[in-house]
Amino acid sequence: MPHSFGLRARTRHMFSRNFREHGAIPLSTYLKTYKVGDIVDIKANAAVQKGMPHKFYHGRTGVVYNVTKSAVGVIVNKRVGNRYIEKRVNIRVEHIKHSKCRQEFLDRVKENAAKKKAAKEAGVSINLKRIPAQPRGARHVSTKNNVPQTIAPVPYETLL
């Protein structure tokens, strides 16, 4: 039996609402402000069919390039063959949210600025670079008053 190739084909789980998140859309969704240059995540809300993105863009991250009263224009990079094409998609605000992908970076910038200011006041040089996890420090175990113990496995016994 042939299967369909419609716009929403194979989106049974993709467009379903999450557990205990069904029902009316919260008003905070409509009260968020989006500005040109904001990074947003696209997540289609199946309760609103208007302005819904194509299933390809579900879960993608893009940059806002246009803002209207009930929708935003988002630039998404789409891989086609061996190249990336810049796609411009107009999506209603119910289907997008602010991305948290830069939040850690912005927090680190603030933290580094505070450290830099404190170091300048103290007249000390400080390293602000991230350092990967270093190997653990070496330890010396003394056998004086600490005799090594031989460990042997317990034999397996059936309970029948």
Side-chain angles (χ1 to χ4, degrees), residues 45-91:
N45 186 340
V48 181
Q49 286 82 38
K50 271 190 170 182
M52 185 187 273
H54 186 267
K55 63 190 172 193
F56 170 84
Y57 300 104
H58 183 83
R60 308 278 167 166
T61 301
V63 180
V64 174
Y65 78 93
N66 185 29
V67 180
T68 62
K69 68 180 178 66
S70 59
V72 296
V74 182
I75 296 172
V76 182
N77 290 325
K78 182 177 183 179
R79 192 174 139 221
V80 180
N82 63 344
R83 68 199 190 280
Y84 282 90
I85 298 177
E86 180 186 272
K87 305 289 281 189
R88 291 172 182 255
V89 198
N90 294 309
I91 306 170

Side-chain angles (χ1 to χ4, degrees), residues 102-120 126-131:
R102 273 177 64 85
Q103 194 57 49
E104 190 179 323
F105 168 73
L106 294 173
D107 292 344
R108 204 170 72 243
V109 168
K110 261 186 204 171
E111 191 180 304
N112 284 352
K115 285 180 184 174
K116 199 173 186 180
K117 189 177 179 184
K120 193 172 184 181
I126 187 169
N127 180 22
L128 298 174
K129 292 182 179 179
R130 291 175 291 170
I131 300 167

